[in-house]
Amino acid sequence: MYLMEISEKQNISERYLEQLFAKLKKADLAKSVRGAYGGYLLNQTPEEITAADILKVLEGPVISEKSPDKISSEAAIYKTAAYEVWNGLEDLIFEHLASITLADLSKRTAEIKANNSDGYIYHI
């Protein structure tokens, strides 16, 4: 797919998309094709790439803070408890995203388009 097409459809700058696709390429999820008809292609089938794969590459971990190594104060106790809550939530998020493939997203997009079509309906 051409970055210009994605840029126009999603209202995202091409420069930003280039940065995203460079990360996807580095993670071996996409590959670039040079030439007049160049662009980016998936390195795996849409059924093999999950939303979790993409989020991990583009955003990294959702939880940026680590649990304290040593719980030596009341503040560290609260911080540890909060970390456990957020870490559990991150696990659930990635578990859910791992169950959604690019093929699933494509299929769902087509279903939504079909259900919200502004096409003509003729009643006889």
Side-chain angles (χ1 to χ4, degrees):
M1 179 167 280
Y2 301 106
L3 291 185
M4 187 170 72
E5 288 179 52
I6 298 171
S7 173
E8 290 172 359
K9 286 182 180 180
Q10 299 298 320
N11 197 26
I12 301 171
S13 80
E14 273 189 75
R15 295 188 93 175
Y16 181 63
L17 283 173
E18 287 171 2
Q19 293 172 3
L20 297 179
F21 273 88
K23 289 180 180 181
L24 293 171
K25 185 178 170 186
K26 186 176 181 181
D28 208 30
L29 291 176
K31 60 185 171 186
S32 60
V33 178
R34 296 181 182 265
Y37 298 101
Y40 287 89
L41 298 172
L42 296 176
N43 239 358
Q44 301 168 23
T45 66
E47 292 80 12
E48 296 173 308
I49 299 174
T50 68
D53 296 332
I54 294 169
L55 184 64
K56 285 176 187 174
V57 169
L58 298 182
E59 297 296 330
V62 175
I63 308 302
S64 60
E65 245 179 72
K66 290 177 59 178
S67 179
D69 293 331
K70 190 174 183 184
I71 303 174
S72 58
S73 68
E74 193 168 330
I77 291 170
Y78 293 128
K79 194 172 188 175
T80 300
Y83 170 81
E84 290 173 359
V85 169
W86 289 112
N87 192 52
L89 181 59
E90 179 180 50
D91 291 344
L92 290 172
I93 290 169
F94 277 105
E95 182 181 321
H96 177 67
L97 293 175
S99 72
I100 302 168
T101 66
L102 290 182
D104 296 332
L105 290 172
S106 179
K107 181 181 174 186
R108 183 63 185 136
T109 301
E111 289 170 354
I112 292 169
K113 280 183 184 179
N115 291 335
N116 291 305
S117 173
D118 288 337
Y120 296 102
I121 299 175
Y122 296 98
H123 297 276
I124 300 175

